């Protein structure tokens, strides 16, 4: 009776808990930072699993990078935990990949765009000099049916980035589509959602290009 009901409620909780379900991931980042304080002025990557699985040491060996991706997260989670896992690092640049899970979980393009604005406001209040680069929501095989909504969020965020020199947008999505206008298979692993080495190579090229353009 009661005992099972209680267990059932515990199982239900994470679904509605929002950012609370990442407590463990966030505590791990904080513990790591305590042991080895991250270098200031780094390139910090934050967001969902496409950020988490990006092998930054491999693709950006010449830069100081910090990976703060936590798989399955939504944009509001990066916003919620920014003051714990991002702001103390005082990065020079933040690369944000989020919005993919949001739309998959039923959020609208408008909500994602509003959450992006909240994220920007929080980061820039603490770190006004930090560049924020939005890595657009990717067109994927698995979520291709959601691409119109994802693209709508991307375009709205792109517009916002055009109004502020500290906000940037990487023009990745068109380069992920083949001649048929659909995502290229070899950019993904078997699940059709996460990136293959070839996919990460493409994304990293865009990041290198952006960094290069900043210097020139």
């Amino acid at each position: 009776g009661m005992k099972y009901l209680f267990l059932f409620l515990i199982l239900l909780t994470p679904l509605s808990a929002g950012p609370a379900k990442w407590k463990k991931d966030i505590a791990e980042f904080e513990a790591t930072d305590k042991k080895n304080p991250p270098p200031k002025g780094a390139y910090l990557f934050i967001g969902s699993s496409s950020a988490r699985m990006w092998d930054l040491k491999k693709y950006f060996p010449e830069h100081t990078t910090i990976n703060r991706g936590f798989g399955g997260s939504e944009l509001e989670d990066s916003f919620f935990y920014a003051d714990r896992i991002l702001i103390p690092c005082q990065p020079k640049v933040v690369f944000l990949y989020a919005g993919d899970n949001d739309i998959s979980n039923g959020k609208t393009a408008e909500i994602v765009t509003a959450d992006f604005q909240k994220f920007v406001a929080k980061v820039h209040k603490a770190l006004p000099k930090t560049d924020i680069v939005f890595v657009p929501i990717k067109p994927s095989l698995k979520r291709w049916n959601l691409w119109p909504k994802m693209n709508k969020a991307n375009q709205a965020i792109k517009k916002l980035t055009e109004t502020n020199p500290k906000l940037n947008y990487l023009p990745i999505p068109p380069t992920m589509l083949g001649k048929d206008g659909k995502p290229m298979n070899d950019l993904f692993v078997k699940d059709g959602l996460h990136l293959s080495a070839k996919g990460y190579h493409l994304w990293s090229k865009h990041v290198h290009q952006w960094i290069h353009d900043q210097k020139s």
Side-chain angles (χ1 to χ4, degrees):
M2 215 49 208
K3 196 169 79 189
Y4 291 111
L5 180 70
F6 185 61
L7 276 172
F8 180 63
L9 287 174
I10 289 176
L11 287 173
L12 276 181
T13 318
L15 293 173
S16 56
K21 62 174 169 289
W22 309 113
K23 280 209 295 258
K24 194 169 148 285
D25 300 74
I26 304 308
E28 274 168 28
F29 286 137
E30 289 181 318
T32 311
D33 289 354
K34 234 193 183 117
K35 269 207 290 280
N36 299 305
K40 309 263 185 271
Y43 291 114
L44 186 145
F45 289 68
I46 192 169
S48 58
S49 52
S50 294
R52 184 178 61 80
M53 291 154 68
W54 202 333
D55 186 342
L56 302 177
K57 282 190 177 65
K58 174 182 164 185
Y59 291 106
F60 309 103
E62 73 279 37
H63 298 294
T64 308
T65 55
I66 300 172
N67 195 321
R68 289 290 138 107
F70 43 116
S73 64
E74 296 187 9
L75 214 160
E76 70 161 346
D77 301 313
S78 288
F79 158 74
F80 188 83
Y81 288 115
D83 45 5
R84 286 173 60 183
I85 64 169
L86 186 164
I87 289 163
C89 301
Q90 296 176 26
K92 181 164 89 169
V93 184
V94 172
F95 291 92
L96 170 69
Y97 183 80
D100 200 331
N101 297 321
D102 309 42
I103 285 177
S104 178
N105 293 339
K107 287 188 177 168
T108 62
E110 289 74 17
I111 291 173
V112 174
T113 309
D115 284 347
F116 174 76
Q117 288 174 289
K118 278 170 29 185
F119 176 83
V120 166
K122 192 178 202 178
V123 173
H124 276 164
K125 190 179 174 195
L127 306 167
K129 291 196 168 85
T130 297
D131 274 289
I132 297 172
V133 182
F134 186 69
V135 181
I137 306 171
K138 65 183 180 296
S140 66
L141 301 165
K142 187 177 181 193
R143 295 176 175 172
W144 182 238
N145 61 314
L146 297 172
W147 176 239
K149 268 187 193 163
M150 292 172 168
N151 194 35
K152 191 179 171 192
N154 284 343
Q155 296 311 315
I157 290 171
K158 181 172 187 259
K159 266 212 179 75
L160 290 172
T161 65
E162 288 160 2
T163 63
N164 179 342
K166 286 276 157 212
L167 299 183
N168 308 269
Y169 177 93
L170 296 181
I172 298 177
T175 65
M176 295 183 71
L177 304 176
K179 288 198 172 68
D180 61 356
K182 292 218 172 90
M184 290 184 270
N185 288 7
D186 59 354
L187 298 178
F188 300 91
V189 293
K190 277 203 179 70
D191 66 8
L193 178 63
H194 296 102
L195 296 177
S196 63
K198 194 171 177 188
Y200 278 116
H201 183 74
L202 174 69
W203 280 25
S204 302
K205 245 175 37 185
H206 281 274
V207 171
H208 279 290
Q209 185 63 54
W210 181 84
I211 293 170
H212 177 267
D213 291 345
Q214 294 301 296
K215 295 201 168 98
S216 52

